[in-house]
Amino acid sequence: MASTVAEQGEDEQGRSPQQQQPAAGDRAEAEAAGKQKAGRLTWRIRLRRDKSLILMTLPAVALLLVFNYLPMVGTITAFQYYDPLDGIGNSEWAGLANFRQLFGDPLFWHAMENTLYISAVQLVLFFPIPILLALLLNSVLNSRIRSVIQAITFLPHFYSWVLVVTLFQQMIGGAGLLNQFLRQHDAGTWDFMTNPHTFSLLVTSQVVWKDAGWGIIVFLAALSAIDQNLYEAAASDGAGRWRRMWHITLPGMRSVIVLMLVLRLGNALSVGFEQLLIQRYAVGHDAADVLDTFSFYYGIGTQNYSYGAAAGIFKSVISLLLIWGANKLAHRFGEDGLYRK
């Protein structure tokens, strides 16, 4: 009787059902072998497999090569007495003479001081605003209202700086709506557009109006990645809106905030060339000259191209050191920064 049952339990190949199931060790070995085999794929097979992804990234790579990497060849002019008629190959070598002249120029250090000051003001007054806007938009339950607010806040990003400065001139300039209102009520007028003492606040307010809506995109993406079950569990435990924001929302956004802060510090010496160039004559070069405008006016403007290139290299090196130091600091506090340690 027992032998009959055993024979019925065996399949046509004479194996029992338990023998048909592969052992756990065998499955692990098979998976490891598959991964090892995938790791031995030749570059031809990988190229054929990822052909569509490579084709999709080719335009971006071409833009980087043409506008970011090929112009780096011109940095050699910082070590020459560059003459456009002679070209890079035939211009006389200057060594570090341009840098010695640069570091001894008080106008350069004044532009450096303005750059750092405007960058610090923008870091304090502008950087937190996209985070706050993202939190406010995330709290709006009506999707239609949220879409309208997003469209309104995104739109100024696509305006040119000429249009932005013109709008501010019409609002708070000497003949703007604000001063017209003050004159009608016999009050003193304020001309913010030509006041060098408040110029840093003026350019920061322009940046906030133009780019705050665009800056919330990354933070909204970070908010959408937070598990909604965490909010439900916290609400069931009695946590209010502020406690949920403090203990769930902000920790969920922390890695993205640190990443954007590192990138912001890396661009600390780039505070808006076109924006400041337009308003330079209104407030004077003492308030509006930064490293970018210094390179333009005292390099290209005077046809001293090597001098302007030296200022550009100095700015690039300092920016690289800033982003490297900020990334190291992020790693020290346990964050990924630009890459995982």
Side-chain angles (χ1 to χ4, degrees):
M1 186 70 173
S3 61
T4 303
V5 174
E7 291 174 359
Q8 292 177 354
E10 294 179 352
D11 60 3
E12 296 178 355
Q13 296 179 353
R15 293 179 298 178
S16 63
Q18 290 78 6
Q19 292 175 338
Q20 294 180 16
Q21 299 291 334
D26 296 338
R27 288 199 303 270
E29 292 178 0
E31 293 177 358
K35 293 180 179 179
Q36 185 177 4
K37 184 178 179 181
R40 291 200 302 265
L41 293 177
T42 63
W43 67 271
R44 296 179 183 273
I45 297 176
R46 293 180 179 179
L47 183 63
R48 193 180 305 114
R49 181 191 62 186
D50 301 331
K51 179 175 62 177
S52 59
L53 297 176
I54 295 174
L55 290 176
M56 187 171 60
T57 57
L58 280 180
V61 173
L63 287 174
L64 285 174
L65 288 176
V66 173
F67 294 103
N68 293 87
Y69 288 96
L70 287 180
M72 292 176 65
V73 178
T75 57
I76 196 174
T77 58
F79 305 94
Q80 296 177 328
Y81 295 114
Y82 176 70
D83 188 347
L85 298 179
D86 296 332
I88 296 177
N90 298 322
S91 296
E92 182 183 356
W93 286 96
L96 299 177
N98 291 316
F99 291 94
R100 286 193 291 267
Q101 179 185 356
L102 185 71
F103 296 149
D105 191 346
L107 294 176
F108 168 75
W109 291 113
H110 182 70
M112 183 70 176
E113 181 183 354
N114 286 343
T115 303
L116 293 176
Y117 180 71
I118 294 176
S119 180
V121 173
Q122 292 184 359
L123 182 64
V124 174
L125 300 181
F126 170 68
F127 182 78
I129 290 180
I131 303 174
L132 298 176
L133 285 177
L135 293 174
L136 290 175
L137 279 179
N138 189 61
S139 63
V140 177
L141 300 179
N142 192 313
S143 59
R144 180 170 297 182
I145 296 177
R146 184 186 304 177
S147 300
V148 171
I149 297 175
Q150 286 181 354
I152 293 174
T153 55
F154 287 177
L155 186 60
H157 173 76
F158 301 99
Y159 295 164
S160 67
W161 276 115
V162 175
L163 180 57
V164 172
V165 173
T166 302
L167 289 174
F168 271 75
Q169 179 68 36
Q170 295 299 321
M171 295 297 295
I172 59 177
L177 295 178
L178 176 61
N179 282 325
Q180 290 181 15
F181 176 81
L182 294 175
R183 291 189 188 98
Q184 291 175 359
H185 293 79
D186 297 327
T189 59
W190 296 343
D191 190 2
F192 295 100
M193 301 298 295
T194 59
N195 188 351
H197 301 291
T198 59
F199 182 67
S200 60
L201 297 177
L202 172 66
V203 296
T204 302
S205 62
Q206 293 170 350
V207 171
V208 169
W209 184 78
K210 185 177 187 294
D211 289 330
W214 183 258
I216 69 176
I217 294 177
V218 177
F219 299 111
L220 287 176
L223 287 171
S224 64
I226 299 176
D227 188 2
Q228 298 300 315
N229 294 327
L230 297 176
Y231 292 104
E232 297 176 1
S236 63
D237 290 339
R241 174 178 297 181
W242 294 107
R243 292 186 66 86
R244 293 197 299 268
M245 180 183 297
W246 182 259
H247 294 287
I248 298 176
T249 306
L250 292 179
M253 298 174 62
R254 184 174 58 188
S255 60
V256 177
I257 293 175
V258 171
L259 173 61
M260 299 305 294
L261 181 60
V262 170
L263 294 175
R264 176 61 190 170
L265 291 175
N267 291 322
L269 301 185
S270 299
V271 291
F273 169 71
E274 184 180 356
Q275 177 191 11
L276 299 177
L277 189 67
I278 296 171
Q279 303 176 87
R280 183 176 184 267
Y281 289 107
V283 297
H285 67 89
D286 286 340
D289 262 350
V290 294
L291 290 180
D292 289 333
T293 58
F294 177 86
S295 300
F296 176 76
Y297 279 103
Y298 301 102
I300 299 177
T302 60
Q303 297 183 355
N304 191 358
Y305 303 105
S306 298
Y307 194 60
I313 288 181
F314 175 82
K315 173 192 168 184
S316 300
V317 171
I318 297 301
S319 298
L320 180 62
L321 292 177
L322 285 174
I323 199 170
W324 176 80
N327 196 63
K328 286 292 184 181
L329 188 62
H331 288 166
R332 185 176 295 273
F333 283 96
E335 299 295 335
D336 290 338
L338 295 178
Y339 56 87
R340 291 186 177 181
K341 188 176 180 180

